[in-house]
Amino acid sequence: MIQVDQIVLREIHLPLVEPFQISSGTTTERRILLIEAIDRSGASAWAECVAGEMPNYSPETIDLAWLMIPQWVAPRVLGRKFGSARDVQSALDNDFRGHNMSKAAVEMALWALEAELRGVSLSKLLGGTREKIPTGISLGIQKDPAAIAARALVAHKEGYRKIKVKIKPGKDVAYIRAVREALGPEGHVMADANNAYTLDDLPVMKALDDFGLI
């Protein structure tokens, strides 16, 4: 049984080790919204709201989440008894459209809280069976193809199995070619333009198709 008596929102500002550039701009610091759910027993667990600072990826933003969670999301779960975190989604979705990132942040906190109360890992609670999983990395746009190829090689040697390369018009085909040549035909390479292309760019898309992207 879960009964959350308090939900606390905290925002942290995380300076990045290096600037992260995508087609729509460069980020040097991340705003991150954290949610702490506190059970009536005093147990607590944390989750993160994944909404960004700007509505360039999703309509939801951190500022919107700051409004939605206290006013609309948290009241759906505060003081209410749930047999399991599996019951939370229906409570959040009933007569409440959209704002899935805000809802998910609170729901994830309750999943983590249930794991804490049961004394098991969240993975086990969710039915996970593996102790390790492959992971990938997203590499921002670099100054030239040689630079992104070097970064991709370092990431691959560090154990990342999927290399996602940010691109934009003018910094695309040559950059992906350099990464493919560096990692070889077996390397798992993705290209992510963050909605920077239109149908007029079909020749670029066809050229990128030659590199076996996933």
Side-chain angles (χ1 to χ4, degrees):
M1 183 70 68
I2 309 171
Q3 183 175 326
V4 176
D5 287 344
Q6 188 178 8
I7 291 177
V8 181
L9 305 186
R10 294 181 176 89
E11 183 175 313
I12 62 174
H13 291 208
L14 179 68
L16 302 184
V17 173
E18 63 180 46
F20 185 73
Q21 183 183 14
I22 64 174
S23 60
S24 59
T26 302
T27 301
T28 58
E29 181 183 77
R30 281 197 62 209
R31 289 174 60 195
I32 300 172
L33 178 57
L34 300 176
I35 292 88
E36 181 183 15
I38 304 172
D39 183 77
R40 57 179 176 175
S41 68
S44 68
W46 295 71
E48 176 186 349
C49 179
V50 299
E53 298 177 42
M54 300 180 295
N56 57 346
Y57 174 74
S58 163
E60 295 184 70
T61 65
I62 285 182
D63 293 317
L64 184 56
W66 268 105
L67 171 67
M68 297 305 299
I69 293 174
Q71 185 170 347
W72 296 101
V73 184
R76 297 290 184 106
V77 300
L78 284 172
R80 182 171 175 177
K81 294 181 180 179
F82 294 96
S84 166
R86 296 182 185 278
D87 304 325
V88 174
Q89 182 181 355
S90 60
L92 295 177
D93 284 343
N94 183 38
D95 199 27
F96 185 176
R97 294 185 180 181
H99 303 282
N100 291 329
M101 291 181 178
S102 294
K103 292 176 181 177
V106 172
E107 182 185 355
M108 286 188 291
L110 267 72
W111 274 106
L113 183 59
E114 181 175 352
E116 181 74 19
L117 292 169
R118 289 176 178 264
V120 300
S121 69
L122 180 57
S123 171
K124 184 175 181 179
L125 180 63
L126 293 171
T129 58
R130 290 181 289 177
E131 294 184 358
K132 295 181 179 180
I133 59 172
T135 188
I137 190 172
S138 181
L139 300 178
I141 297 171
Q142 303 295 309
K143 62 179 181 179
D144 54 42
I148 189 62
R151 292 302 307 277
L153 270 176
V154 169
H156 186 72
K157 290 178 181 177
E158 289 176 341
Y160 294 103
R161 288 295 168 258
K162 182 184 294 182
I163 311 296
K164 180 166 73 172
V165 179
K166 295 290 186 177
I167 61 172
K168 67 178 181 179
K171 291 192 172 184
D172 39 45
V173 176
Y175 287 66
I176 296 298
R177 179 184 293 112
V179 172
R180 172 55 70 209
E181 290 175 352
L183 298 184
E186 302 303 320
H188 293 174
V189 182
M190 296 177 62
D192 184 2
N194 292 99
N195 202 36
Y197 293 89
T198 69
L199 289 176
D200 293 333
D201 297 302
L202 278 177
V204 174
M205 301 296 103
K206 291 179 179 179
L208 290 173
D209 234 8
D210 293 336
F211 300 115
L213 303 178
I214 60 172

